[in-house]
Amino acid sequence: MLQAETHTALQCYHCGETCADDHIHLDEKFFCCDGCKTVFEILDENGLCNYYDLEQSPGIQLKIRNWGTRYDFLDNADIAHQLLDFSEGNTQKITWFVPAIHCSSCIWLLENLYKLQPGIQYSRVNFVRKEVMLTYDSSQISLRKLAELLATLGYAPKIQLDDLKPDNGSQKKKLSTEEKKLYFKIGITGFAFGNIMLLSFPEYLDWVGTDYQNFFGYLNILLALPVFFYCSSDYLLSAFKALRAKTINLDVPISMGIIALFGRSLYEILTHTGAGFMDSLAGLIFFLLVGKWFQSKTYQSLSFERDYKSYFPLAVQLKQRKGQGSKSTSSIPVTDIKKNDHIIIRNQELIPTDSILLSKDAFIDYSFVTGEAEPIHKRQGDYLYAGGRQVGASITLEVQKEVAQSYLTQLWNNDVFSKEGGTQKQFQQKVARFSQYFTLVVLAIAFGAALYWNFTNPAKIWNTFTAVLIVACPCALALSMPFTLGNTMRIFGRNRLYLKNAEVVADLAGINHLVFDKTGTITHPNETKISFEANQNQGLSPEQAVHIASLVKHSTHPLSQRIFKHLNIQNLAEVTQFKEIPGKGIKGKVGGVEVSVGSEQWIKGEEFAPQNVAQLQTKVFVKLSDEVVGGFVMQHEYRQGLGKLIQRMQSQYDTALISGDNDAEAERLKSFFGQQSILKFQQKPADKLAFINELQQEGKQVMMMGDGLNDAGALQQSHVGIAVSEDTSSFSPACDAILDARVFDKLPEFLKFSKTSLKVVKMSFVLSLLYNLIGVAFAVSGNLSPVVAAILMPLSSITVVSFVIVTTNALAKYQGLVIGDTLSKN
């Protein structure tokens, strides 16, 4: 290990990270980098240093201030127009997603931007959505400068292609139409429910004469008409379509109850034989709509059905277009890319379309597509597929296909992404079978009771038949499952497990086999543990460390950059005769010493045959002059507590690991998973999908946990596919749930509570059926009037809903899950 003198750790005054030394300071305040010092100076110059009173070291580490051409696409008028929320004269408004927002000091700083920059008129932060809404004067500050200001302060906005608003925001409006429609229906029904109740009280209490009774009855009909024909239309149409298809769903008995209530009420009011039950009708539909809203409301800000556009850069640098000759570089939207265009891709940018490499060489990280962690070296003339990230200096590409025709787009649009998943289909089949049996039983009881009273007391036929349909309406049964699973979905969301729909809870409870991907799932995607293994059991001297750091600083290869970051040397030496040999390593002279860093075979000699080829990608050797002093060993940093978590899971589930990486760490992984678990390496996307299929053919209920587009097929095929993500707002292609990587260790609790939720559903079913049995018994006997039946119906719904919410909240808290906002807002 690197030998160094021990110093008292200095903390950066701005961000709180450990400073390498004390050479960056201002007065008695020390900083880890010039970026943090710059932010402090900006705040200090504008009298905003009370920012540091909010929390100890509240800032965000910043290493970059000169953003070059990163945001120059915002100077494109067409792109800017589509991003803006409002533009009139010089006044413009925009909303940006800023993932770095994490505490009260972030909010304070972002909402005081107007003190830092003339032209910013107003800024407001939505902490839950991590959004900042800005109003600015475009004559004083451009959109590009605004983005650069935020980035300089450590709050770089995340701008994606799907942020564009085609047709002046029509897409955003379209997405909210169904939500607005549901709110509108709930509002109409709630208004009618309250007013019909108010108008019906005098009738129930016999406070008014006949004339007023008739008048109030007519008013109730008017109020009930939009409730019946508009607000309940979804249920009525669903039942009609089911009957037309010669099947029965849960909406059939619900619709029968709605029609029975409306028909009987209409008859009584128009014939002046009663007050009707329009209040019960409005109450029934109101509770049904609230139940539907409850399911659809949870975490609307998350997108589970994102398309490939979410991952592409918003714009690219166009260097040359065929037929136009050479011209100055300009930014164009990625959707405007044409075949044969010459485009520039910068460090860490995603290649948006299949292209030919025109630059001398490049290092392409395909982990997004293949799962393989190490970048691949490409040479001039190589074909580059969309989805790779450039690592290192900017490269020039010649476009071969438009974005919509690229390899990544084809992979995304594969049938495995769009086919109907088994989760929802199985759930619907269970509901359909239950609906058929329930409806047939209710109809049999209603007609049987009517037939009995036809021979015994014909005056009771209509009341009995109507009362049975009303009191046996399965609204409580219909609400028990969505409210239970919906509340479970909400609780999971509070704990950072975001489900695609409530039905996933039921499938989680039935899982018996767990399959894990490696890279990005059980490992930290951006962390690598690095250690130096010396040949003579002696660490690197400070002088040797300077030599190595000075050399690797000149290489853009990710392994070189990791070594440079690990050594953390500030005062570097001059390097001469630098040379980088692709696929082998780098060498040069530092202070008269020849330094070489690279693969074991290259460092030790071309004739040397390494014993373990699998280790080539995880160990980088070092030679100083003619002596091989050792090598840097790089290991994946596994998530904290992985071993204990796997052991807990294996007491109830079978486990397996499938990875696109090599088997360099197979022995280490066996210490986590044990000798009996299946460990598969170098697996392509098709191999992962085939493995899931194989398990399912053996009768296993499989849950797949993965990260990356290459896992999409396996995620979709599995009974439950969970994407583990560091950024839950921008993932995922084909999963059933998104798990925030920070709560990976809570997986056993989530699985346990999913089983608990189904027990609550069963208990609520028992409670609901008990209501129905008692109510039907009274209705059949002729001792239950439709009025009482109509009162019992919403009462049973309220009871069941209250029961499931209170019970699930109590059990979740008992099992260690957060039910409030504490975890989700941190």
Side-chain angles (χ1 to χ4, degrees):
M1 303 296 291
L2 179 64
Q3 303 296 317
E5 297 181 9
T6 302
H7 298 282
T8 303
L10 294 174
Q11 282 191 322
C12 175
Y13 184 78
H14 178 70
C15 73
E17 292 202 7
T18 302
C19 300
D21 50 46
D22 59 0
H23 79 280
I24 303 178
H25 62 88
L26 189 65
D27 297 329
E28 297 181 356
K29 300 177 179 65
F30 298 94
F31 303 90
C32 65
C33 64
D34 289 326
C36 290
K37 180 172 175 284
T38 298
V39 175
F40 172 80
E41 289 174 338
I42 292 173
L43 297 176
D44 187 42
E45 290 172 4
N46 291 273
L48 296 177
C49 280
N50 51 340
Y51 166 73
Y52 297 97
D53 297 333
L54 296 173
E55 293 182 16
Q56 184 178 3
S57 303
I60 295 175
Q61 189 178 26
L62 183 65
K63 300 293 184 184
I64 302 174
R65 189 182 186 189
N66 182 12
W67 299 99
T69 60
R70 179 173 298 185
Y71 294 106
D72 62 352
F73 64 86
L74 294 177
D75 289 333
N76 185 299
D78 292 335
I79 294 177
H81 175 70
Q82 295 182 67
L83 288 172
L84 292 171
D85 297 326
F86 174 83
S87 179
E88 180 63 37
N90 292 329
T91 301
Q92 297 181 342
K93 294 184 178 182
I94 192 167
T95 301
W96 270 330
F97 174 62
V98 181
I101 298 174
H102 72 291
C103 65
S104 58
S105 58
C106 300
I107 299 174
W108 185 89
L109 179 58
L110 290 172
E111 292 189 348
N112 282 273
L113 288 175
Y114 67 93
K115 297 181 180 179
L116 296 177
Q117 177 65 50
I120 298 179
Q121 300 170 350
Y122 173 84
S123 58
R124 181 64 62 192
V125 173
N126 185 325
F127 182 79
V128 176
R129 292 181 177 268
K130 296 186 182 296
E131 291 178 344
V132 57
M133 293 155 280
L134 298 154
T135 302
Y136 65 98
D137 186 341
S138 59
S139 65
Q140 297 186 57
I141 181 173
S142 66
L143 189 60
R144 173 184 175 178
K145 293 297 183 183
L146 187 62
E148 289 177 345
L149 172 64
L150 290 175
T152 300
L153 293 174
Y155 299 95
K158 186 172 184 179
I159 310 172
Q160 297 173 320
L161 181 62
D162 56 357
D163 291 331
L164 295 179
K165 305 176 182 69
D167 298 327
N168 198 24
S170 61
Q171 184 180 11
K172 187 173 182 180
K173 182 178 180 181
K174 181 179 179 181
L175 290 174
S176 62
T177 299
E178 289 301 318
E179 183 183 9
K180 290 180 179 178
K181 187 177 179 181
L182 180 59
Y183 285 145
F184 196 49
K185 287 183 177 181
I186 292 175
I188 292 174
T189 309
F191 174 80
F193 182 30
N195 282 279
I196 293 174
M197 284 283 291
L198 184 64
L199 294 173
S200 298
F201 269 117
E203 168 67 23
Y204 294 150
L205 301 176
D206 197 23
W207 284 354
V208 295
T210 303
D211 293 337
Y212 283 104
Q213 289 178 357
N214 295 337
F215 177 69
F216 288 157
Y218 296 148
L219 287 179
N220 285 341
I221 291 177
L222 290 175
L223 289 168
L225 286 176
V227 174
F228 179 76
F229 287 103
Y230 175 66
C231 299
S232 65
S233 58
D234 290 341
Y235 299 100
L236 298 177
L237 289 173
S238 175
F240 173 73
K241 291 177 181 178
L243 294 174
R244 188 172 60 180
K246 298 181 181 179
T247 184
I248 297 176
N249 59 19
L250 198 59
D251 291 330
V252 172
I254 292 177
S255 297
M256 289 176 62
I258 291 173
I259 293 172
L261 273 173
F262 183 74
R264 179 61 190 271
S265 300
L266 198 63
Y267 170 80
E268 287 191 0
I269 293 172
L270 294 179
T271 60
H272 308 305
T273 57
F277 321 107
M278 294 300 188
D279 51 344
S280 298
L281 170 68
L284 167 63
I285 297 173
F286 177 76
F287 285 115
L288 289 173
L289 292 173
V290 169
K292 181 183 291 187
W293 167 81
F294 191 92
Q295 296 178 78
S296 64
K297 181 62 179 175
T298 306
Y299 293 97
Q300 294 173 353
S301 61
L302 296 176
S303 177
F304 288 87
E305 296 296 342
R306 289 179 176 264
D307 60 17
Y308 60 91
K309 298 177 184 178
S310 301
Y311 298 91
F312 290 166
L314 179 67
V316 294
Q317 294 290 309
L318 177 66
K319 186 175 182 180
Q320 180 180 330
R321 172 157 288 175
K322 185 177 181 181
Q324 296 182 3
S326 300
K327 65 173 186 177
S328 59
T329 302
S330 62
S331 291
I332 63 169
V334 72
T335 51
D336 290 347
I337 294 175
K338 297 181 180 179
K339 186 177 180 180
N340 298 322
D341 280 354
H342 289 188
I343 60 174
I344 298 174
I345 301 298
R346 294 164 295 193
N347 183 42
Q348 294 300 318
E349 281 191 344
L350 199 70
I351 299 173
T353 185
D354 301 355
S355 308
I356 297 293
L357 178 62
L358 298 180
S359 300
K360 183 177 179 181
D361 56 19
F363 288 94
I364 308 299
D365 176 7
Y366 273 116
S367 60
F368 180 74
V369 177
T370 66
E372 186 64 45
E374 298 302 330
I376 301 171
H377 179 246
K378 295 291 185 179
R379 295 179 175 83
Q380 187 175 29
D382 285 351
Y383 194 94
L384 304 182
Y385 288 103
R389 286 189 187 276
Q390 162 61 4
V391 180
S394 299
I395 57 175
T396 302
L397 308 177
E398 182 177 306
V399 175
Q400 298 299 299
K401 295 179 181 179
E402 295 182 1
V403 172
Q405 299 174 332
S406 68
Y407 163 78
L408 186 63
T409 306
Q410 293 173 17
L411 179 61
W412 192 279
N413 293 329
N414 191 282
D415 288 342
V416 73
F417 290 91
S418 57
K419 68 180 181 181
E420 186 75 14
T423 300
Q424 188 174 3
K425 188 175 181 181
Q426 292 175 7
F427 181 81
Q428 290 175 343
Q429 288 175 347
K430 293 177 183 178
V431 172
R433 284 198 298 269
F434 169 78
S435 303
Q436 291 175 356
Y437 292 137
F438 185 91
T439 304
L440 292 174
V441 170
V442 170
L443 288 174
I445 293 174
F447 282 108
L451 184 63
Y452 170 80
W453 289 112
N454 180 56
F455 295 104
T456 308
N457 187 354
K460 291 186 176 182
I461 293 176
W462 178 246
N463 279 351
T464 302
F465 182 79
T466 308
V468 169
L469 287 179
I470 293 173
V471 77
C473 179
C475 51
L477 289 169
L479 292 175
S480 60
M481 179 167 285
F483 267 85
T484 304
L485 301 186
N487 197 44
T488 300
M489 185 177 174
R490 182 189 66 83
I491 292 171
F492 281 172
R494 297 296 186 192
N495 291 269
R496 299 196 182 108
L497 172 62
Y498 308 102
L499 305 185
K500 188 172 186 178
N501 52 52
E503 290 89 340
V504 178
V505 178
D507 283 310
L508 278 171
I511 294 301
N512 56 31
H513 199 110
L514 305 179
V515 178
F516 296 87
D517 177 47
K518 191 184 86 168
T519 306
T521 302
I522 63 174
T523 67
H524 291 287
N526 299 319
E527 295 183 17
T528 303
K529 186 177 181 180
I530 302 178
S531 60
F532 184 79
E533 291 185 355
N535 289 344
Q536 303 298 327
N537 294 322
Q538 59 183 10
L540 290 172
S541 67
E543 183 181 7
Q544 291 174 327
V546 170
H547 288 164
I548 297 171
S550 300
L551 180 70
V552 297
K553 172 65 175 176
H554 287 261
S555 172
T556 59
H557 194 282
L559 296 181
S560 299
Q561 294 301 309
R562 290 176 188 173
I563 293 172
F564 177 76
K565 183 178 180 181
H566 169 70
L567 293 174
N568 196 23
I569 303 296
Q570 300 294 327
N571 299 317
L572 302 175
E574 182 181 357
V575 178
T576 59
Q577 300 180 21
F578 176 84
K579 186 177 182 180
E580 184 162 3
I581 304 174
K584 296 182 178 180
I586 56 176
K587 64 180 181 178
K589 281 193 174 182
V590 184
V593 178
E594 187 171 318
V595 182
S596 300
V597 178
S599 67
E600 184 177 14
Q601 187 173 4
W602 183 64
I603 292 294
K604 293 184 177 181
E606 296 294 341
E607 71 283 354
F608 176 79
Q611 296 180 353
N612 189 352
V613 178
Q615 293 290 339
L616 285 175
Q617 293 185 343
T618 56
K619 190 168 185 179
V620 179
F621 284 80
V622 178
K623 182 166 65 174
L624 300 175
S625 296
D626 292 327
E627 179 187 1
V628 179
V629 297
F632 291 93
V633 178
M634 303 184 186
Q635 291 183 324
H636 292 289
E637 187 70 21
Y638 291 95
R639 299 196 185 277
Q640 187 175 5
L642 177 64
K644 293 182 179 179
L645 182 141
I646 296 298
Q647 290 178 5
R648 289 178 61 190
M649 306 297 287
Q650 287 179 337
S651 63
Q652 301 181 54
Y653 305 95
D654 295 327
T655 58
L657 175 79
I658 52 177
S659 174
D661 286 344
N662 58 59
D663 60 352
E665 299 184 6
E667 291 302 319
R668 189 180 178 193
L669 287 167
K670 286 180 181 178
S671 67
F672 295 133
F673 286 86
Q675 299 296 325
Q676 302 302 319
S677 294
I678 301 173
L679 303 179
K680 288 180 174 287
F681 300 95
Q682 296 179 331
Q683 299 291 293
K684 297 179 181 178
D687 298 329
K688 295 183 179 184
L689 177 59
F691 179 70
I692 298 297
N693 264 321
E694 182 181 335
L695 291 176
Q696 290 175 331
Q697 290 174 4
E698 296 175 2
K700 302 293 180 63
Q701 300 289 312
V702 184
M703 184 180 84
M704 167 73 183
M705 299 191 70
D707 170 62
L709 185 61
N710 63 304
D711 298 322
L715 289 170
Q716 177 70 18
Q717 179 62 36
S718 58
H719 293 91
V720 177
I722 298 182
V724 180
S725 179
E726 305 292 330
D727 181 7
T728 57
S729 66
S730 61
F731 201 82
S732 145
C735 63
D736 298 301
I738 299 173
L739 177 66
D740 192 312
R742 291 172 290 180
V743 292
F744 183 78
D745 60 337
K746 279 185 171 286
L747 185 60
E749 283 75 17
F750 292 133
L751 290 171
K752 181 180 179 181
F753 190 66
S754 64
K755 296 179 180 180
T756 301
S757 298
L758 287 193
K759 292 179 181 178
V760 174
V761 171
K762 293 176 182 178
M763 289 188 289
S764 67
F765 263 60
V766 171
L767 181 62
S768 178
L769 286 172
L770 186 62
Y771 262 109
N772 277 282
L773 288 174
I774 296 174
V776 168
F778 278 99
V780 168
S781 66
N783 296 321
L784 184 67
S785 69
V787 175
V788 177
I791 294 174
L792 287 176
M793 185 170 56
L795 183 62
S796 66
S797 300
I798 295 172
T799 304
V800 168
V801 168
S802 301
F803 170 78
V804 298
I805 290 180
V806 171
T807 305
T808 50
N809 284 345
L811 292 176
K813 191 173 182 179
Y814 176 76
Q815 294 183 11
L817 296 176
V818 175
I819 62 174
D821 294 338
T822 305
L823 184 60
S824 64
K825 289 186 178 181
N826 286 340

